[in-house]
Amino acid sequence: MSICSSSSSSSSSSTAKAWIVHSILAGTAIAIAIGARAYLGRARKFRTRVVGVIPARFASSRFEGKPLVHILGKPMIQRTWERSKLATTLDHIDDEKIAECCRGFGAAVIMTSESCRNGTERCNEALGKLEKKYDIVVNIQGDEPLIEPEIIDGVVKALQAAPDAVFSTAVTFLKPEDAFDPNRVKCVVDNRGYAVYFSRGLIPFNKSAKVNPQFPYLLHLGIQSYDSEFLKIYPQLQPTPLQLEEDLEQLKVLENGYKMKVIKVEHETHGVDTPEDVGKIESLMRERNLS
């Protein structure tokens, strides 16, 4: 797994920035008001030290060696790292084929064990191997070479502004054609901006069993940030029924009673899941004049 550090500016629209700011502010007053019940009995209000982690594995059932595939002449993991470095909130961004590649373009690299069951556990193991101490760890998906730096900053600031939350993530609007795709994870949030539930099925689900074109369904984006103290606890939590049924690690957090802050952003997802996706990403980058 590779780790890397970031700082921010991007081609994101001002509308996307407005979304992020609005989503963060919506829950701030409430978070401060209930600060006495903050995580572990204390409000880690500022959480100023932030590290970004990009978990990367060579083995993949659908696309072996995916992090190393070239996108317009650069490995995908490098593309993601370069975009992440544009985020202003990250102090630092930290596999053997992948490790050699990452060291070649200047990224810090930490190897994690095969026993890690998911990206969250890899982030925890990486955190324990870092010399410096950090308050927030951001899990950045290595297969999102066009990740918007403002979204990275948004999830960090959301967690900093919500002392009662241990986890933050981002959602965007779900396209109707993705409504019943189990690989598109859906999310519902409460009116204070905290996650209620995540599912591979369409949620909420109405009695007509059809997509309501007027309803703003939400699609979960892969980026997540964690309170570093909670991250140490996470691997010790036993798998939960809903987590196992949906195969979603976020549900273990919610089922154990922890709070998760969610920001809404306008973002077109451009992940790379199969070899066919590489050509689509390259065409999009050419359209946007991204070298």
Side-chain angles (χ1 to χ4, degrees), residues 151-166:
I151 295 178
I152 297 175
D153 289 335
V155 296
V156 170
K157 291 175 182 177
L159 191 54
Q160 290 172 331
D164 58 335
V166 299

Side-chain angles (χ1 to χ4, degrees), residues 104-283:
F105 57 76
V109 176
I110 290 178
M111 301 297 293
T112 56
S113 68
E114 290 296 321
S115 64
C116 292
R117 293 169 290 187
N118 51 51
T120 304
E121 293 191 6
R122 292 187 189 98
C123 286
N124 175 58
E125 185 175 330
L127 178 66
K129 293 180 178 181
L130 288 171
E131 293 181 5
K132 293 183 179 180
K133 301 299 180 183
Y134 293 94
D135 304 314
I136 292 177
V137 180
V138 187
N139 183 349
I140 302 165
Q141 300 300 302
D143 58 3
E144 275 270 355
L146 298 182
I147 182 68
E148 301 290 357
E150 285 87 353
I151 295 178
I152 297 175
D153 289 335
V155 296
V156 170
K157 291 175 182 177
L159 191 54
Q160 290 172 331
D164 58 335
V166 299
F167 193 120
S168 65
T169 190
V171 296
T172 191
F173 291 115
L174 179 74
K175 295 178 180 178
E177 60 265 31
D178 293 331
F180 299 106
D181 183 347
N183 295 313
R184 298 293 191 182
V185 176
K186 295 80 177 176
C187 176
V188 290
V189 301
D190 66 19
N191 58 11
R192 298 182 298 174
Y194 290 88
V196 174
Y197 194 68
F198 294 85
S199 179
R200 295 185 181 278
L202 182 65
I203 53 173
F205 191 77
N206 61 53
K207 60 184 180 182
S208 74
K210 297 178 181 179
V211 176
N212 177 0
Q214 305 304 317
F215 190 86
Y217 300 100
L218 298 175
L219 170 69
H220 180 230
L221 303 176
I223 187 168
Q224 302 173 153
S225 74
Y226 322 97
D227 177 283
S228 61
E229 293 302 316
F230 169 74
L231 194 57
K232 297 172 186 176
I233 295 171
Y234 178 87
Q236 302 169 25
L237 299 175
Q238 292 300 308
T240 54
L242 295 175
Q243 174 205 3
L244 294 174
E245 182 64 19
E246 296 263 17
D247 190 21
L248 295 174
E249 59 187 287
Q250 298 84 7
L251 293 177
K252 183 165 77 165
V253 179
L254 297 180
E255 283 185 88
N256 277 282
Y258 294 100
K259 288 192 173 185
M260 187 182 304
K261 200 72 171 70
V262 179
I263 64 169
K264 297 176 183 178
V265 301
E266 288 189 356
H267 176 67
E268 186 82 18
T269 57
H270 299 293
V272 176
D273 297 317
T274 66
E276 292 72 31
D277 292 331
V278 175
K280 297 176 185 176
I281 290 285
E282 289 183 327
S283 296

Side-chain angles (χ1 to χ4, degrees), residues 4-9 54 78-93 105-107 140 147 149 152:
C4 310
S5 85
S6 295
S7 70
S8 140
S9 135
I54 307 175
Q78 181 176 352
R79 292 279 181 193
T80 303
W81 179 78
E82 289 175 348
R83 295 289 292 174
S84 299
K85 281 179 65 64
L86 297 175
T88 58
T89 52
L90 301 188
D91 300 308
H92 182 64
I93 306 186
F105 57 76
I140 302 165
I147 182 68
I152 297 175

